[in-house]
């Protein structure tokens, strides 16, 4: 059965690989599964056909046969459970990898994403500087714990897993902020993720969409 995912027709990330379909593309590339992409305008994302797939009118979605999924983390977990390469065979190691998936999305990502939104939406507000300091303090607490746990290891828990895939995509949102560079082992960790051939293929595919939209 053909796998179809949805992605932005014109991504607001300007081809930097930050849109959340990147996570799904990367996961599919890691496990060697071919997929098709249905590109959506912002208008189409709020129309009934897409809302039937994603009740909040966002991307990505995942369709395979009679299965339809939304939420990038849930989609990556589904891919990892269905295909070898993203979760360990050992039950305990598998559970730990899934825990890292949740940690990436529930603990590390929220203040990072909120910081990105604040810099866009709240810059002119009188509380902006205080809000930014609060968010950056929260981010550093998360990064400190993550850095200590990673130490000198290549990946979070043995071999590369879906936990690393999600964590790398989350940390990439800090590139250019100077914050990631405060933790050299985390910067190196992200670079290792970006150097994986599956990541490079996924990034190139997402960038091609933005390039085509910009020149079309």
């Amino acid at each position: 059965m053909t796998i179809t995912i949805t992605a932005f027709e014109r991504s607001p990330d300007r081809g930097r690989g930050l849109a959340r379909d990147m996570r799904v593309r990367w996961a599919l590339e890691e496990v060697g599964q071919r997929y098709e992409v249905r590109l959506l305008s912002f208008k189409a994302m709020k129309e009934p056909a897409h809302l039937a797939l994603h009740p909040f009118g966002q991307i990505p979605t995942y369709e395979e046969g009679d299965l339809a999924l939304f939420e990038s983390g849930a989609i990556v977990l589904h891919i990892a459970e269905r295909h070898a390469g993203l979760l360990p065979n050992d039950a305990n190691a598998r559970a730990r990898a899934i825990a890292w998936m949740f940690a990436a999305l529930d603990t590390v990502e929220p203040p990072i994403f909120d910081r990105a939104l604040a810099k866009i939406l709240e810059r002119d507000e009188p509380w902006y500087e205080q809000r930014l300091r609060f968010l950056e303090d929260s981010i550093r607490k998360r990064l400190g714990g993550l850095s200590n746990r990673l130490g000198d290891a290549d990946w979070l828990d043995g071999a590369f897993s879906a936990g690393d895939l999600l964590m790398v995509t989350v940390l990439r949102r800090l590139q250019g902020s100077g914050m990631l560079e405060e933790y050299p082992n985390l910067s190196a960790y992200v670079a290792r993720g970006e150097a994986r051939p599956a990541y490079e293929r996924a990034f190139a595919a997402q960038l091609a969409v933005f390039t085509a939209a910009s020149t079309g």
Side-chain angles (χ1 to χ4, degrees):
M1 290 179 287
T2 302
I3 295 171
T4 301
I5 69 171
T6 51
F8 289 120
E9 183 179 78
R10 292 181 177 272
S11 178
D13 78 345
R14 303 185 64 80
R16 292 186 295 149
L18 301 181
R20 288 185 172 94
D21 63 289
M22 178 66 190
R23 300 166 176 177
V24 179
R25 293 175 185 269
W26 185 6
L28 289 167
E29 293 287 354
E30 286 284 352
V31 300
Q33 291 297 302
R34 298 181 64 181
Y35 62 98
E36 296 180 355
V37 182
R38 184 167 64 252
L39 301 176
L40 297 174
S41 66
F42 288 104
K43 180 175 181 293
M45 289 167 58
K46 305 305 179 184
E47 291 177 348
H50 186 64
L51 290 172
L53 297 172
H54 198 309
F56 307 113
Q58 299 175 324
I59 61 97
T61 58
Y62 173 104
E63 297 167 79
E64 185 179 14
D66 59 0
L67 174 65
L69 295 173
F70 64 98
E71 289 295 331
S72 61
I75 296 169
V76 170
L77 179 57
H78 171 74
I79 294 167
E81 290 182 327
R82 288 281 298 274
H83 306 284
L86 285 174
L87 287 176
N89 292 325
D90 175 76
N92 287 348
R94 190 181 188 93
R96 291 194 300 271
I98 293 172
W100 278 116
M101 294 178 69
F102 279 83
L105 302 184
D106 292 347
T107 300
V108 180
E109 183 171 46
I112 293 175
F113 189 72
D114 286 350
R115 176 185 180 274
L117 285 182
K119 289 180 73 68
I120 296 170
L121 302 177
E122 300 178 39
R123 185 175 291 275
D124 296 329
E125 301 293 347
W127 63 78
Y128 172 70
E129 293 298 334
Q130 182 178 1
R131 167 81 165 148
L132 192 63
R133 283 195 301 272
F134 170 78
L135 289 171
E136 292 186 347
D137 285 346
S138 297
I139 291 168
R140 287 187 173 95
K141 289 178 183 177
R142 302 293 189 262
L143 295 182
L146 184 63
S147 175
N148 289 337
R149 175 56 69 93
L150 179 65
D152 295 329
D154 285 345
W155 308 112
L156 291 170
D157 193 281
F160 177 85
S161 76
D164 295 294
L165 185 153
L166 291 180
M167 191 68 77
V168 168
T169 63
V170 166
L171 294 178
R172 288 191 70 251
R173 288 187 174 276
L174 289 173
Q175 290 177 332
S177 70
M179 298 181 71
L180 195 60
E181 288 71 20
E182 297 173 18
Y183 306 86
N185 65 335
L186 296 184
S187 292
Y189 171 68
V190 170
R192 281 191 294 276
E194 293 174 329
R196 293 180 70 84
Y199 174 91
E200 293 176 344
R201 292 192 297 271
F203 184 91
Q206 195 185 62
L207 178 60
V209 173
F210 174 77
T211 302
S214 299
T215 58

